[in-house]
Amino acid sequence: MTRRSTAAGALATGAAGLLLALGAAAPAHAAGYRYWSFWESDAGKWTYATQGPATARPADGDAIGFRFALSEDSADATRPTAAPDFAAICADVGKTAGTKRIAVVVDFGTPKDAPAGETPPKTAPTTGCARVAENGTGADALAAVATPLRYDSSAMLCGIAGYPKQGCGEAVADAPDVTATAATAATSAPKAAEEDGGGPSLGLLVGGGAVLALGAAAVWKSRRRA
């Protein structure tokens, strides 16, 4: 083994060791967030709301929905499983002056989405027809058909009908940090360097630098959190 290949091995092994040590302290990636998503009706289908229920003002004849689930983001959010069928939900509620009718669907989700120690209070979605003032919001409509409601200090909807009992849009950890993958690549690099008979390849040097940069970034992040 040449001195240059030995140096390459030392670089890769050292970088891998650094990453493995940091990996134990590095946080896991968030698989998503456990929260109540808010939906609006659009041509008979659910569409993810662009604002919260406290500011949204549905019109008479609209439907709104709420679904509790574990989702990565709005593109991945799980829709309510009951259709936004205003005609069926509000069939027996007539319009009166100064008010509007809004169909409300509340889907408590599945047991796999429930926080530890809790289960959805109902396995099927619940529906109700809310009659609110003409300037009423989605939150007003929800409060008319499902209580108690729980909000946090920033007005984020945390619980509907007492579910869940605690927590509010918390991140749920899942996959380990990407540094583990980088460490695996670093430990396999010395063999390739030895086989070609030369010194450390450009790929190894660049890769080693990237690995060390990742390690340095992880240290900086951990110190920042501390």
Side-chain angles (χ1 to χ4, degrees), residues 55-151:
T55 56
R57 297 184 186 279
D60 181 74
D62 283 347
I64 59 175
F66 300 84
R67 171 67 188 259
F68 189 78
L70 177 62
S71 306
E72 290 185 9
D73 52 36
S74 60
D76 175 64
T78 306
R79 293 171 173 75
T81 54
D85 191 346
F86 173 84
I89 296 172
C90 292
D92 299 326
V93 180
K95 190 175 185 325
T96 59
T99 68
K100 59 185 177 183
R101 300 156 301 161
I102 302 169
V104 181
V105 175
V106 177
D107 191 330
F108 294 94
T110 65
K112 71 176 184 178
D113 291 323
E118 296 196 52
T119 56
K122 295 183 178 181
T123 56
T126 63
T127 62
C129 186
R131 191 201 302 273
V132 298
E134 288 185 335
N135 65 343
T137 65
D140 294 331
L142 177 62
V145 300
T147 56
L149 305 180
R150 181 168 58 88
Y151 291 88

Side-chain angles (χ1 to χ4, degrees), residues 101-208:
R101 300 156 301 161
I102 302 169
V104 181
V105 175
V106 177
D107 191 330
F108 294 94
T110 65
K112 71 176 184 178
D113 291 323
E118 296 196 52
T119 56
K122 295 183 178 181
T123 56
T126 63
T127 62
C129 186
R131 191 201 302 273
V132 298
E134 288 185 335
N135 65 343
T137 65
D140 294 331
L142 177 62
V145 300
T147 56
L149 305 180
R150 181 168 58 88
Y151 291 88
D152 69 3
S153 58
S154 63
M156 179 176 178
L157 180 61
C158 303
I160 298 177
Y163 180 76
K165 296 178 181 178
Q166 56 186 2
C168 194
E170 65 274 8
V172 179
D174 182 29
D177 198 277
V178 70
T179 50
T181 302
T184 301
T187 55
S188 63
K191 181 177 180 181
E194 285 183 32
E195 288 175 350
D196 64 19
S201 67
L202 177 61
L204 176 59
L205 290 174
V206 173

